[in-house]
Amino acid sequence: MQAVGKSQSKGSGIGRHITVTGVLFSFAVIVAVVTVMVLTALERVTENANLLDDERSRETTIGAVKTFEDQLGATLDDYAAWDDAAANVYAPDGMAWTVSNYGEMSVNSSLFDVAIVIDGEKKAIMTYRDGKPMEEPLTDFFAPSLWVLLDRVKAAGPADRPQAVGFVTTKRGIAAVGVALVREKSGALDAPVGQRRYLVFARHLDDDRVTALGQTYVIGGLRLAPPSFAADYRVPIVDPTGATLGKLVWTSRSPGDIAYAQVRPMVIQALGLVGLFFVVLLVIGWLAGRRLRAEEGSAREEALRDRLSGLSNRDGLGLAVDRFVVEACQAKRNVLLLYLDLDGFKEVNDSYGHGTGDQLIRAVAAGLAVLIPQGAVLARIGGDEFAIAFLSDGENAAALQLAEQILDFLVEPLEIGRRVVVVGASIGIAMSPLGAVGREELVRRSDLAMYKAKEAGRARMMLYDPSMDADREQRNALELDLRMAIESGDLTLAYQPLIDASTHAMTGVEALVRWNRPGHGPVSPELFIPIAETSGLIESLGLFVLRKACETAKQWPELNVSVNVSPGQFRNPAFTDYVRYVLKQTEIEADRITLEITEGYMIQNPQRTRQSIERLKGLGVKVALDDFGSGFSSIGYLRQFGFDRIKIDRSLVMGVNDKRQREMLQATVALARSLDIPVTAEGIETEEQAIAMRLFGCDCLQGYWFAKPVTSDLITEMLQERRKAEPAARRHVGAARPAA
Ligand code: C2E
Ligand code: CA
Ligand code: CA
């Protein structure tokens, strides 16, 4: 069985492995995809953030350049549209003013570093740079685009401001340059067009200024680069003609990158945690699943195990036998199956309680486990039923030998706690040669053989024989008919007179059940009573007999009535109740009834027997020990059970001619009488026997010599004849009964 269980779990183990790997893989893929998606999204955000920031930087830089230009323009406007300037610059003696207010102002000024006054013909009137007169001619210092500015100023209409600003290359670099007409603040000017003078300011976009711009506008790494310089981030500086003079370039702050760099590890950690969480979940789930499956496995094994004994149960045995049958087929061997039923287990359970019963089962299981051959399977398949299956190369010999050993083992009294109990066993054996007989049939055969062993008398073993099947069939049919007979009241009673040993008068009758089986004729109670016992029919049968006997006996007030009670009835705790019920129902005097019980049951269950007898006697009925001397009983029992009468068995009476047997019979009767227990002798067939039994001390006799069992009508007739013969006074019940 274990092998089967193992291979099953192995198979599902591979499947489990595949699914776990599959799920793990799926989780890994999901986590990876989610990671990629999140990182991609983050990169997008980063790019956007960078772009936005670069755009801002560009706009700021453009603004800065514009402001640089505008500042120069504003300064230029202040200086050029100035009443004092209009007065002095045009005056012949105005040079000193011009130098001190324009030229010399170009030193250390943040507003302009070159100050020049020219006329409309581009002729320099004053040139100052950094507070000092400039050496080189204007055309050497400035790029020609300066003149574009001058032209614009000159071309300005009356409504326009006569001023132009733009970037121009100079010898020193790139400068914001402005040209403005020198005029009164109001814009008015006396000088004619040909004599007009223009103020030129230049402010160089040198490194310091670019750096300062960068700082002011928070543009990292802002610097001036040549036009050819390749850079991602740039704002061109264009002169009035549209030519690019240079570029302002900066390094991108890439705030997205920074944020990304900060966030990325956190995101990866978070995703890692999520992944880990899933893995942990999966592992927990897997472990839980594994535990469940393990529990399932052990539950499966448990389901094949008998809790009490720890042996296999019926299902476990079934699996094992199936396996053996297959093996036997393949290996050309035989399967042997023993079915074993404990005799007297019920009695142990009844009298000592289930605790002791359980201990007994365990003790027997342990004993059997030692006896069985290697590789055999031992199972408990019912309350007190065991089975042993094994493979053998030989035929029945091994099973017979084992059965013998088991019977020997069980003959010994078993010590259970402080008690010593004796149980026997009935064993049935069946064989499946070369596995030709399947499990079901094999089980049926050994069960049947066991049943036969039990029937044949306990503590036996029986090999299955095909004739048993026919027996069983007959038996089943008989059982069915018997059930119907009981139900339809087809059973009748015969009454056998009980005779007073000294007067030979009929003092009572024993009720004996009769069954005329349809299609078969009369069936002996010795045949159908045991069947009624094992098939549970005995209770209704017994009740029928008791009621019928009591009802019938009402017409015979002078007679006692004996009724047989089988162990099956006696064992029933409700037996006393139904006797009481019948007594009440039939209104018969309880002391006229004698219940006859056999000793078989008492031996196994003395305590309970005593109790039952006490309760029955409490009802007023008498209790007799039937078939005394046929079994195991010793006279010692009689005392403790308080029997009202003993019936000496027919087999003893028959032996009255044998010296030894006669002596024993004599002693038995004497002993009973010494205990003050009256004795009946049954089965008297000859006058000799009658005389002998009377001599030995039996006060009551029964047997064919006096009368066979007869119908109730015949008994009534017999009584009527007696009444005629006897004086009326003697017809009294008490007088007819033997002295107790
Ligand atoms: P038992 O209780 O020992 O009943 C006496 C049996 O011996 C009866 O057989 C009776 O016919 C027979 N018998 C009487 N005198 C003689 C004789 O001189 N010679 C011979 N050879 N036999 C004689 P029966 O009626 O076949 O009953 C057999 C057994 O069946 C009874 O043995 C009793 O144990 C059982 N039985 C009969 N009726 C009932 C019943 O109503 N209930 C129960 N539980 N058992 C019954
Ligand atoms: Ca009897
Ligand atoms: Ca008897």
Side-chain angles (χ1 to χ4, degrees):
M1 287 153 296
Q2 270 173 347
V4 173
K6 259 180 201 155
S7 70
Q8 274 170 355
S9 66
K10 201 186 268 175
S12 56
I14 292 167
R16 193 158 64 236
H17 190 71
I18 288 168
T19 49
V20 166
T21 323
V23 172
L24 259 177
F25 181 72
S26 320
F27 270 133
V29 168
I30 290 170
V31 169
V33 167
V34 168
T35 308
V36 168
M37 279 167 68
V38 169
L39 289 181
T40 309
L42 271 178
E43 266 163 31
R44 286 271 163 75
V45 170
T46 303
E47 269 170 31
N48 278 338
N50 286 347
L51 265 175
L52 277 174
D53 191 70
D54 290 335
E55 189 55 28
R56 187 199 68 85
S57 297
R58 208 174 68 81
E59 279 168 8
T60 308
T61 308
I62 290 169
V65 171
K66 188 84 177 58
T67 306
F68 190 81
E69 225 180 343
D70 287 352
Q71 273 178 359
L72 184 83
T75 309
L76 185 65
D77 194 52
D78 271 358
Y79 279 83
W82 184 11
D83 293 351
D84 280 4
N88 288 298
V89 170
Y90 291 102
D93 55 351
M95 188 48 106
W97 184 94
T98 304
V99 167
S100 81
N101 284 288
Y102 289 159
E104 285 171 1
M105 292 306 274
S106 65
V107 68
N108 288 336
S109 165
S110 65
L111 298 173
F112 53 93
D113 46 41
V114 174
I116 294 164
V117 177
I118 55 173
D119 66 10
E121 302 305 316
K122 308 173 185 172
K123 196 170 124 277
I125 293 151
M126 178 209 77
T127 56
Y128 261 75
R129 200 176 80 200
D130 299 324
K132 291 198 186 84
M134 265 170 65
E135 253 97 79
E136 63 264 76
L138 281 185
T139 44
D140 283 2
F141 188 73
F142 285 105
S145 56
L146 171 67
W147 309 126
V148 177
L149 294 175
L150 177 65
D151 290 345
R152 275 187 200 159
V153 176
K154 286 207 283 197
D160 303 325
R161 180 195 297 215
Q163 176 173 316
V165 183
F167 283 98
V168 175
T169 314
T170 72
K171 238 181 164 172
R172 265 178 60 189
I174 295 170
V177 176
V179 179
L181 176 67
V182 179
R183 60 200 188 271
E184 283 180 20
K185 180 102 181 136
S186 63
L189 186 63
D190 292 340
V193 174
Q195 291 167 22
R196 286 188 178 169
R197 295 197 170 165
Y198 300 89
L199 178 62
V200 177
F201 276 174
R203 187 186 185 198
H204 277 92
L205 200 53
D206 55 23
D207 290 347
D208 287 350
R209 288 214 172 95
V210 172
T211 306
L213 274 183
Q215 277 165 0
T216 308
Y217 294 95
V218 199
I219 302 160
L222 188 71
R223 66 198 168 85
L224 194 58
S228 58
F229 188 81
D232 287 341
Y233 315 108
R234 62 196 182 264
V235 169
I237 296 184
V238 183
D239 78 357
T241 67
T244 298
L245 310 179
K247 298 170 175 172
L248 275 175
V249 299
W250 64 92
T251 44
S252 172
R253 292 191 308 165
S254 302
D257 286 357
I258 294 163
Y260 180 72
Q262 282 173 353
V263 166
R264 204 179 118 104
M266 289 196 272
V267 168
I268 287 173
Q269 273 171 18
L271 287 171
L273 274 176
V274 169
L276 197 72
F277 172 72
F278 275 122
V279 167
V280 168
L281 255 190
L282 191 73
V283 167
I284 288 173
W286 180 70
L287 285 177
R290 202 175 62 159
R291 206 191 54 226
L292 262 179
R293 274 184 296 274
E295 277 170 8
E296 214 177 81
S298 62
R300 240 198 329 261
E301 262 180 36
E302 197 73 354
L304 299 176
R305 198 145 288 283
D306 169 53
R307 273 169 182 256
L308 177 59
S309 62
L311 306 177
S312 294
N313 61 15
R314 189 177 284 276
D315 291 342
L317 175 78
L319 282 175
V321 172
D322 278 340
R323 206 181 67 221
F324 284 156
V325 167
V326 171
E327 267 182 64
C329 266
Q330 292 166 347
K332 304 262 175 282
R333 303 181 77 189
N334 303 323
V335 186
L336 288 166
L337 180 62
L338 278 78
Y339 256 47
L340 186 156
D341 184 286
L342 293 186
D343 301 328
F345 172 72
K346 230 192 190 103
E347 284 72 24
V348 171
N349 237 357
D350 284 350
S351 47
Y352 301 130
H354 289 285
T356 308
D358 289 356
Q359 274 179 295
L360 173 62
I361 290 295
R362 277 195 281 263
V364 170
L368 293 178
V370 174
L371 294 175
I372 58 168
Q374 227 190 353
V377 168
L378 172 61
R380 177 173 173 241
I381 54 175
D384 59 350
E385 285 179 31
F386 294 84
I388 300 161
F390 60 96
L391 283 167
S392 165
D393 293 321
E395 302 232 321
N396 291 309
L400 286 170
Q401 196 191 342
L402 174 62
E404 215 162 293
Q405 286 174 334
I406 291 172
L407 289 178
D408 283 351
F409 159 64
L410 288 175
V411 152
E412 303 291 330
L414 287 168
E415 229 184 285
I416 307 292
R418 279 171 298 131
R419 297 199 163 86
V420 175
V421 296
V422 185
V423 287
S426 305
I427 302 175
I429 303 166
M431 181 175 77
S432 172
L434 309 179
V437 177
R439 189 238 310 160
E440 231 169 285
E441 177 61 13
L442 190 60
V443 162
R444 193 191 69 81
R445 288 182 179 183
S446 45
D447 190 31
L448 181 56
M450 177 189 80
Y451 192 83
K452 286 284 165 191
K454 216 171 192 57
E455 234 178 24
R458 296 160 169 217
R460 273 165 212 266
M461 55 181 161
M462 284 258 187
L463 273 174
Y464 166 79
D465 185 281
S467 71
M468 288 177 177
D469 285 325
D471 282 8
R472 174 49 83 81
E473 256 163 51
Q474 278 175 15
R475 207 196 125 96
N476 286 348
L478 193 119
E479 188 187 316
L480 208 74
D481 285 356
L482 180 61
R483 187 180 296 272
M484 266 161 54
I486 294 169
E487 274 166 16
S488 54
D490 283 349
L491 298 176
T492 55
L493 292 188
Y495 298 90
Q496 186 175 29
L498 296 162
I499 308 297
D500 182 285
S502 30
T503 66
H504 284 200
M506 173 165 63
T507 55
V509 289
E510 178 179 3
L512 295 161
V513 69
R514 292 291 175 262
W515 179 29
N516 193 359
R517 188 181 174 199
H520 290 264
V523 182
S524 164
E526 266 162 338
L527 190 81
F528 67 81
I529 293 290
I531 292 176
E533 286 232 25
T534 50
S535 58
L537 292 171
I538 193 64
E539 223 146 273
S540 45
L541 188 149
L543 191 58
F544 165 81
V545 171
L546 184 64
R547 179 177 292 139
K548 185 86 182 175
C550 290
E551 270 169 8
T552 311
K554 283 200 76 178
Q555 28 168 341
W556 308 320
E558 59 268 66
L559 298 184
N560 292 318
V561 182
S562 290
V563 176
N564 293 289
V565 173
S566 75
Q569 289 170 274
F570 200 69
R571 198 182 282 136
N572 183 352
F575 179 62
T576 323
D577 293 331
Y578 85 61
V579 171
R580 183 191 293 117
Y581 175 68
V582 171
L583 290 177
K584 205 177 152 211
Q585 222 186 14
T586 55
E587 293 178 315
I588 195 158
E589 300 92 329
D591 67 346
R592 285 176 55 204
I593 308 295
T594 301
L595 301 176
E596 296 187 3
I597 63 171
T598 50
E599 60 190 334
Y601 174 67
M602 304 176 322
I603 261 198
Q604 287 152 339
N605 219 335
Q607 199 187 335
R608 230 180 146 93
T609 307
R610 209 165 27 238
Q611 282 173 2
S612 300
I613 290 175
E614 251 161 50
R615 278 161 63 197
L616 285 172
K617 288 177 78 176
L619 297 177
V621 301
K622 297 192 173 103
V623 180
L625 175 64
D626 204 356
D627 299 343
F628 185 74
S630 65
F632 324 83
S633 49
S634 83
I635 207 95
Y637 279 116
L638 306 177
R639 241 171 121 92
Q640 55 164 325
F641 294 126
F643 286 113
D644 296 297
R645 178 168 288 277
I646 296 169
K647 286 183 86 171
I648 300 283
D649 190 57
R650 191 160 59 91
S651 59
L652 279 189
V653 174
M654 261 163 31
V656 81
N657 290 325
D658 180 87
K659 190 170 171 277
R660 263 190 43 125
Q661 285 193 41
R662 189 173 57 238
E663 275 168 14
M664 227 185 76
L665 189 64
Q666 225 175 330
T668 305
V669 179
L671 187 51
R673 296 217 46 110
S674 78
L675 294 171
D676 225 10
I677 302 175
V679 181
T680 300
E682 67 175 14
I684 308 274
E685 290 184 348
T686 63
E687 190 178 16
E688 231 186 314
Q689 289 169 344
I691 293 168
M693 294 319 291
R694 194 193 139 208
L695 271 176
F696 294 159
C698 296
D699 67 340
C700 184
L701 307 175
Q702 177 188 14
Y704 292 174
W705 172 252
F706 297 104
K708 288 197 167 182
V710 294
T711 62
S712 60
D713 288 348
L714 247 166
I715 298 289
T716 307
E717 253 178 56
M718 283 159 76
L719 282 177
Q720 275 167 359
E721 269 173 34
R722 190 168 88 186
R723 279 182 200 133
K724 274 185 218 154
E726 283 173 1
R730 290 212 58 192
R731 239 183 273 150
H732 191 255
V733 181
R737 275 195 247 164

